[in-house]
Amino acid sequence: MTSKTNITIREIADALANDEFVFYYQPKVSMHTGEICGAEALIRWQRPNGEMISPAEFIPLAESTGFINEITLAMFQKLIVDLNIIIDINESLIVSFNASAKDFHNNKLSTTIQHAVEHHLLAAKHLEVELTETVILDQVEEVRDNLSLLHDLGIALAMDDYGTGFSSIDTLSKWPFSTIKLDQGMVSKLGTSEKDFTIIHSSIQMAHQLELEIVAEGIETEVVYRILQNMGCVIAQGYWISRPVSLVDFIEFCRRNKCWPSQSNGVIHMAILDHIQWRKSLIDGVYYISLRRNIQGLRGTPEINPTLCKFGKWYHGLGRRCAGEKWYDEIETPHNRLHEIGEELLVAAQRNAPQNEIALLMRQLTEQSILVIGMLQSVENELMTKSKA
Ligand code: C2E
Ligand code: CA
Ligand code: CA
């Protein structure tokens, strides 16, 4: 891509009128399955002489002048066309689209998207909108209404460049994000900066606890890919997988059905942490009942159904790929038993059972929890050894 200095807003407007903006697509890969799961649409200015201009050269000027609204609306129409071609090739793909702060200061973009979804020009499940936190910091009420509209339509919202803002956690808790996208600057320094390593590791764990999807962008090497996979990151994007490519090349890319390393190690690690957390919230629950507080109203009450806890959902969903492996088949019964003891304990607490009965159940819970976590740790070791072999 070339760098053109002194671009004027007039040239940008002419380029839009002459249909010189196109989308390039950068593939995203599921680290669980190793398969392509989507792409990010990234704008390019393709001049008639073949020169290609990067968004960094014109998006900031378009944003500061407000012309970005025109570009976004025009590009959304192109996205609809491209997206339908893409899902004809692979029905499971999700394409993300970048929006700017100003795109949510009025309802034009959100109502255009709503119209497209309601008229079946695209299915909400195939679209994700990426926003940086600055979108939210100004004109809060308008932005909130427009984002809520998208959320209610079933469109995923990703917080872009996560880790660079000042109030990311606060924003996450107040806005309807379904995905966080780790900033590529932090990701690229993962192998060399201890601070970035720690921020990324804890961000992945937090996303998991909040049941948010987590994407890492800027993955340039296999080492970074594998570190993130081990940490439990779910979706990968970066030059190591592919640079952004034209629609034609992206379709070719999808058709090749290439696979990247898939591994359950990150999921197993998360399951260990989840079950430590699960046992703690269960014991807290028993304590709160003994204080005569209503458990239904407490946040963090553990999931009793073993198919619905975070590990259970994975086990009966994506994890089925491991069916037939010894550890997979062996862990179901002890895991179910752990949940049964948990339920017995809550029921005993609710009927105000004698202390010795509660103490016995607590001991059984701890023993069963140690057994399940021990099994998970053995699997983690085994997978780690296999991936090094
Ligand atoms: P972004 O949304 O953070 O997009 C990711 C940028 O990182 C893209 O640059 C992508 O090509 C680049 N990238 C991806 N993987 C790697 C990697 O492994 N290493 C390195 N060094 N870079 C990687 P691009 O396409 O130049 O876009 C730059 C920015 O321009 C985007 O940052 C986004 O903020 C903006 N942009 C792009 N397309 C659009 C659009 O359609 N609308 C709006 N409003 N902004 C856009
Ligand atoms: Ca983006
Ligand atoms: Ca980004």
Side-chain angles (χ1 to χ4, degrees), residues 8-248:
T8 64
I9 197 68
R10 180 67 204 256
E11 286 177 290
I12 298 177
D14 286 348
L16 186 65
N18 297 334
D19 202 18
E20 291 175 19
F21 294 121
V22 291
F23 274 132
Y24 265 41
Y25 292 89
Q26 186 172 35
K28 294 185 192 175
V29 161
S30 158
M31 289 168 144
H32 289 176
T33 64
E35 291 164 8
I36 180 166
C37 61
E40 178 175 7
L42 293 156
I43 197 169
R44 301 287 179 261
W45 179 351
Q46 205 163 25
R47 309 204 99 198
N49 64 3
E51 186 189 9
M52 188 79 88
I53 302 176
S54 132
E57 306 288 326
F58 59 93
I59 292 286
L61 179 62
E63 279 176 344
S64 65
T65 55
F67 193 68
I68 191 71
N69 295 157
E70 314 285 321
I71 298 180
T72 307
L73 290 171
M75 292 311 288
F76 181 69
Q77 299 305 327
K78 281 188 190 255
L79 187 82
I80 295 177
V81 177
D82 288 3
L83 188 57
N84 283 299
I85 299 173
I86 292 169
I87 57 176
D88 267 354
I89 308 292
N90 182 338
E91 221 277 318
S92 67
L93 300 186
I94 299 174
V95 173
S96 59
F97 173 75
N98 289 280
S100 292
K102 290 195 172 147
D103 291 322
F104 293 103
H105 288 173
N106 59 54
N107 67 1
K108 275 197 192 144
L109 177 63
S110 56
T111 52
T112 303
I113 296 177
Q114 180 184 30
H115 179 272
V117 170
E118 288 177 354
H119 289 80
H120 309 290
L121 304 177
L122 66 88
K125 64 175 182 180
H126 293 300
L127 182 67
E128 179 172 65
V129 175
E130 293 192 10
L131 315 160
T132 55
E133 233 182 323
T134 50
V135 171
I136 288 163
L137 298 179
D138 39 36
Q139 301 205 14
V140 173
E141 281 316 311
E142 288 85 345
V143 175
R144 186 187 296 278
D145 292 347
N146 289 314
L147 293 187
S148 300
L149 177 60
L150 298 188
H151 175 73
D152 294 346
L153 286 170
I155 291 168
L157 295 177
M159 183 189 277
D160 207 351
D161 303 335
Y162 183 81
T164 54
F166 295 101
S167 58
S168 303
I169 294 175
D170 185 47
T171 313
L172 271 179
S173 66
K174 293 189 183 137
W175 294 79
F177 284 99
S178 46
T179 305
I180 64 179
K181 215 169 166 185
L182 297 170
D183 176 57
Q184 59 164 293
M186 283 196 316
V187 170
S188 62
K189 285 189 267 142
L190 190 56
T192 50
S193 157
E194 203 171 311
K195 189 169 155 227
D196 287 323
F197 186 97
T198 310
I199 295 175
I200 290 181
H201 199 192
S202 45
S203 302
I204 292 173
Q205 283 177 15
M206 181 195 67
H208 181 76
Q209 288 301 320
L210 298 174
E211 301 202 39
L212 295 171
E213 198 72 271
I214 183 135
V215 183
E217 72 178 337
I219 300 178
E220 296 190 351
T221 63
E222 181 173 356
V223 172
V224 169
Y225 180 96
R226 296 227 183 235
I227 296 174
L228 286 160
Q229 191 175 44
N230 257 319
M231 286 178 173
C233 184
V234 182
I235 296 172
Q237 181 185 346
Y239 291 172
W240 184 66
I241 293 156
S242 167
R243 289 193 173 243
V245 291
S246 67
L247 176 65
V248 172

Side-chain angles (χ1 to χ4, degrees), residues 284-323:
D284 284 350
V286 169
Y287 175 68
Y288 290 131
I289 292 172
S290 73
L291 291 180
R292 293 280 169 269
R293 283 171 50 184
N294 183 3
I295 190 155
Q296 301 308 112
L298 286 172
R299 273 187 68 83
T301 303
E303 177 57 60
I304 291 301
N305 185 333
T307 64
L308 294 181
C309 71
K310 291 200 193 88
F311 175 70
K313 280 190 200 156
W314 174 83
Y315 186 89
H316 295 281
L318 269 178
R320 282 218 189 104
R321 290 180 307 125
C322 304

